[in-house]
Amino acid sequence: MAYFLQQLASALPIAALYALLAFGYSISFSVTRRADLTYGALFAFSGQIFLLFSDFAWNRLWLVLPAALALGAVLALVYVLGAGLLIGRSIMRRISANSANTVVVVSLGVALVLMELSRIAAETRSLWLPPFLNTPLVLWSDPRFPVTLTVIQLVNTGLMLALVGAGHMFLARSAWGRSWRAVSDDAGAAALCGVDGSRVFVAAYGFSALLAAISGILATSYYGNMDFGAGLVFGVKVLFIAAIGGQTAPLLAALGAAAMGLGETLWSAYGPMLWRDFAIFSFLVLLLVLTRREQFQP
């Protein structure tokens, strides 16, 4: 029983990360309506920029660790938010308006560019953060098998869930959220009502990039590293995890992604690790096929 409770506790940080990633991806997907690998690349790019500048601040500027991490986090937010706005305004908005099906191909190219930029900037070095906030906190005391989580796991989980909740409230109650829903449902009809679809598109892409940047910083703080190939891996994974709850409904996408994080952790605890990704992705493909709805145009 204690082992099962520990697995549930260990699933919380992963479920919260997947929920935030799916929530952010759903915001941009609602305006593009096409699979976009750029979001996962921005997530990985954020972690790599965070590592790069934290390492620079620590080894070159001789800052203390909290200041080095803060500088790395701020610059990661600036770089990723700027990249997201640039990609959304100059690339994705024009492509989705003229040839929507090319979004998938272009997003793959953008992901490769971001991956190579971070690799070249880091000189192909794998940078690691020193462990911090790793004090275990006992959630359930058992002399034989205490259930614990570290401070950084609890902090990351709380921040990610708070961002999902705040983002949902902002989309549900703000004027921009109403404009975003209008453009997501029917951009042409929204334009007839005076909604500037181009501005909403760029803002949605920037909002998604901001959430991807925060996710990348928090995930890298927890794991200590962000691989150069993580952009493609998470780009594909986010496509699937967001589709569980619905790619155009951010909160449902977040809930579905959290369920996948829980299932992934339990499989790692009780099933063979070698078959984890195969089993999870096979289940998702089967689920998407069974729940797919055909839409016939008159």
Side-chain angles (χ1 to χ4, degrees):
M1 182 63 182
Y3 179 74
F4 176 71
L5 292 177
Q6 180 62 65
Q7 300 310 313
L8 290 180
S10 300
L12 289 177
I14 299 175
L17 173 62
Y18 285 179
L20 183 57
L21 285 173
F23 185 88
Y25 174 77
S26 182
I27 294 173
S28 61
F29 178 86
S30 295
V31 293
T32 61
R33 295 288 177 167
R34 292 296 184 274
D36 188 352
L37 298 175
T38 307
Y39 186 76
L42 289 172
F43 163 76
F45 186 64
S46 172
Q48 290 149 4
I49 293 297
F50 174 53
L51 283 171
L52 184 64
F53 280 102
S54 295
D55 176 76
F56 176 80
W58 173 263
N59 291 310
R60 301 291 181 87
L61 301 180
W62 296 351
L63 298 181
V64 296
L65 183 60
L69 295 176
L71 178 63
V74 169
L75 291 177
L77 288 173
V78 171
Y79 270 70
V80 176
L81 182 57
L85 291 173
L86 178 64
I87 293 168
R89 184 191 64 182
S90 302
I91 301 175
M92 293 303 177
R93 180 176 61 85
R94 298 178 181 180
I95 290 175
S96 62
N98 298 320
S99 180
N101 289 329
T102 59
V103 168
V104 182
V105 179
V106 172
S107 70
L108 176 59
V110 172
L112 292 175
V113 169
L114 292 175
M115 288 169 51
E116 285 302 298
L117 283 176
S118 60
R119 183 187 65 80
I120 293 171
E123 299 178 348
T124 322
R125 295 174 300 156
S126 184
L127 303 174
W128 287 83
L129 293 177
F132 61 95
L133 298 179
N134 57 348
T135 304
L137 300 176
V138 178
L139 303 180
W140 188 57
S141 180
D142 187 322
R144 295 175 300 176
F145 198 98
V147 178
T148 64
L149 282 179
T150 62
V151 174
I152 194 169
Q153 285 178 311
L154 292 173
V155 169
N156 277 7
T157 301
L159 287 175
M160 291 175 183
L161 294 180
L163 285 171
V164 171
H168 173 68
M169 295 298 294
F170 176 72
L171 293 177
R173 299 190 176 184
S174 67
W176 185 87
R178 290 191 293 271
S179 299
W180 170 79
R181 289 195 300 273
V183 173
S184 301
D185 291 339
D186 192 328
L192 293 176
C193 296
V195 177
D196 189 341
S198 297
R199 288 189 177 182
V200 172
F201 187 103
V202 175
Y205 223 86
F207 192 8
S208 292
L210 177 62
L211 295 180
I214 296 173
S215 301
I217 294 168
L218 294 178
T220 306
S221 299
Y222 171 47
Y223 291 107
N225 177 258
M226 181 65 72
D227 187 73
F228 297 120
L232 285 179
V233 174
F234 276 92
V236 175
K237 183 171 283 190
V238 168
L239 295 182
F240 281 95
I241 64 178
I244 303 175
Q247 290 173 310
T248 58
L251 186 60
L252 294 179
L255 293 174
M260 179 182 172
L262 175 61
E264 191 175 280
T265 304
L266 292 178
W267 181 280
S268 300
Y270 295 100
M273 281 290 295
L274 180 63
W275 295 96
R276 185 191 67 182
D277 289 340
F278 175 79
I280 294 294
F281 280 112
S282 297
F283 171 75
L284 292 178
V285 170
L286 178 62
L287 180 65
L288 292 177
V289 170
L290 294 178
T291 58
R292 183 177 178 223
R293 297 179 181 179
E294 295 286 350
Q295 294 183 355
F296 297 96
Q297 298 295 333

